[in-house]
Amino acid sequence: MTPARGANVGIVIVSHSPLVAQGAADMVRQMVGGCVPLAWSGGNVEGGLGTHVAGILAAIEQAWSEAGVAIFVDLGGAETNSEMAVERLGPARAAKVAICNAPLVEGAVVAAAEASGGSSLARVVATAEELSA
Amino acid sequence: MPLDAANVAELIELCRAQIERNCEHLGRLDSAIGDGDHGANMRRGLEAVHRERAEISALPLPAALERIGLVLVMSIGGAAGPLYGTLLMELGRGLAGGETPPPSAPLRIAPADFAAALAQAVAAVARRGRSGPGDKTLLDVLYPVQVEIARHAAPARIAACARDAAQATQMMLARRGRASYLGARSVGHEDPGASSCALLATTICQYFQEHAPS
């Protein structure tokens, strides 16, 4: 089922481990089904543990929504590589993307639940970041 | 010295070979305080640049540096990709001075202009990594190297400074990156990012020393 593009905020999960990223995405899907655009990137360009900009960019494109995209990351490199990926979108689209300061799994699930109700990007991010408060 | 396409291609090959030779060493340093992939990540990055060296070296130097930065960002991964990528992309942008670069030709850059562009690029790396001096990162090599370059030190002096600076990270407590999770246990190990940075800096300095007009 194709999510309604532009309706709900999209969710991107970025982990050093493809298994973690995919597993977290599975948990999000279980929660919200197909009504939230969702994509993940995990592992380096060779498939080992790590993160890479091209993979993150592809995930953002896949989960793109005109309402915005919330990104959830695990460790340091996932965050810096996500920042580089967001900058490569250009200023207009980058303004619609937020990298959340929230736990990866809980953040993504809570954000997706919020997004599925049609909340704004700011609302989705705030809900997820409350977990870290 | 002016830099032409052949110089840039040679420098790329020398940097690739240097990282290749030290790949396992960098991996061991990173295993001690991080995730152990710094050597492999850097090798992947330099190999990607090396594959594009013909196209890169045909560009004017500012554009070549920007392109190298982008290739490193897309291929290194880890935390090092964005840091090295930012350094080179910002250095290229700084040297271009916001103007259309001149057509491909040996390009003379005034030492003061290079030093100014490097200072901006290093500041951009610090912002990207949200780090500063003494955090046990590659910045602990970049800052002293930048100071030496700003006072027009000879290449041999800059190289020695880079090596000393990398060694000095041994006694630092990591405050950024995965090594910071180790707390006090990060002390006593050289930072792998500082180490790769010193290796590349010494390689470049040695090249300039050997090719300096006598």
Side-chain angles (χ1 to χ4, degrees):
Chain A
M1 152 178 175
T2 309
R5 290 230 150 199
N8 291 333
V9 167
I11 304 290
V12 167
I13 295 163
V14 181
S15 170
H16 281 64
S17 157
L19 295 174
V20 168
Q22 188 179 8
D26 288 344
M27 290 174 70
V28 170
R29 273 280 170 258
Q30 187 187 39
M31 184 83 188
V32 298
C35 70
V36 172
L38 171 70
W40 58 268
S41 174
N44 64 23
V45 283
E46 290 162 344
L49 295 176
T51 57
H52 69 116
V53 174
I56 299 169
L57 253 179
I60 296 172
E61 295 290 355
Q62 201 187 329
W64 184 257
S65 160
E66 287 305 315
V69 173
I71 303 181
F72 294 86
V73 300
D74 58 5
L75 301 168
E79 186 181 17
T80 29
N81 277 306
S82 295
E83 287 172 6
M84 295 300 287
V86 171
E87 284 170 25
R88 301 215 55 78
L89 293 169
R93 295 177 79 205
K96 292 184 177 178
V97 182
I99 300 169
C100 299
N101 177 21
L104 184 78
V105 176
E106 293 91 331
V109 170
V110 165
E114 184 72 46
S116 69
S119 294
S120 68
L121 177 64
R123 185 71 229 135
V124 168
V125 172
T127 303
E129 292 191 342
E130 274 171 27
L131 294 166
S132 308
Chain B
M1 68 179 265
L3 270 181
D4 63 19
N7 298 137
V8 173
E10 279 172 25
L11 272 166
I12 289 172
E13 163 55 18
L14 289 169
C15 288
R16 186 207 61 77
Q18 176 75 295
I19 292 298
E20 172 73 42
R21 274 194 301 279
N22 288 278
C23 182
E24 283 183 25
H25 172 65
L26 293 171
R28 276 194 300 274
L29 289 178
D30 196 24
S31 293
I33 58 171
D35 50 11
D37 62 4
H38 188 60
N41 286 348
M42 291 301 290
R43 180 172 61 189
R44 191 187 317 113
L46 271 296
E47 280 174 357
V49 173
H50 192 256
R51 275 194 298 277
E52 278 196 35
R53 69 191 181 287
E55 297 88 334
I56 289 169
S57 56
L59 296 168
L61 186 65
L65 291 169
E66 267 201 75
R67 180 69 202 163
I68 291 170
L70 183 60
V71 172
L72 291 176
V73 164
M74 300 309 267
S75 56
I76 295 181
L83 299 177
Y84 277 111
T86 298
L87 179 71
L88 286 149
M89 287 194 282
E90 291 296 324
L91 184 59
R93 280 178 202 143
L95 292 175
E99 292 164 22
T100 313
S104 181
L107 180 68
R108 271 192 186 278
I109 293 165
D113 291 343
F114 184 83
L118 181 65
Q120 278 189 11
V122 173
V125 174
R127 284 196 301 277
R128 171 76 59 201
R130 291 186 273 283
S131 313
D135 286 350
K136 200 180 180 92
T137 71
L138 80 174
L139 281 167
D140 291 310
V141 170
L142 290 175
Y143 283 126
V145 162
Q146 176 201 319
V147 168
E148 292 299 321
I149 287 176
R151 54 183 203 221
H152 312 313
R157 170 81 202 106
I158 300 168
C161 162
R163 277 190 298 269
D164 291 349
Q167 273 189 2
T169 64
Q170 268 195 33
M171 297 323 292
M172 293 177 183
L173 179 74
R175 280 193 287 262
R176 287 293 297 161
R178 220 172 286 192
S180 64
Y181 304 156
L182 295 177
R185 282 178 291 148
S186 67
V187 176
H189 302 278
E190 184 170 318
D191 178 64
S195 187
S196 63
C197 191
L199 285 168
L200 293 169
T202 51
T203 302
I204 295 165
C205 288
Q206 193 176 355
Y207 183 82
F208 276 83
Q209 200 180 339
E210 287 166 3
H211 292 75
S214 48

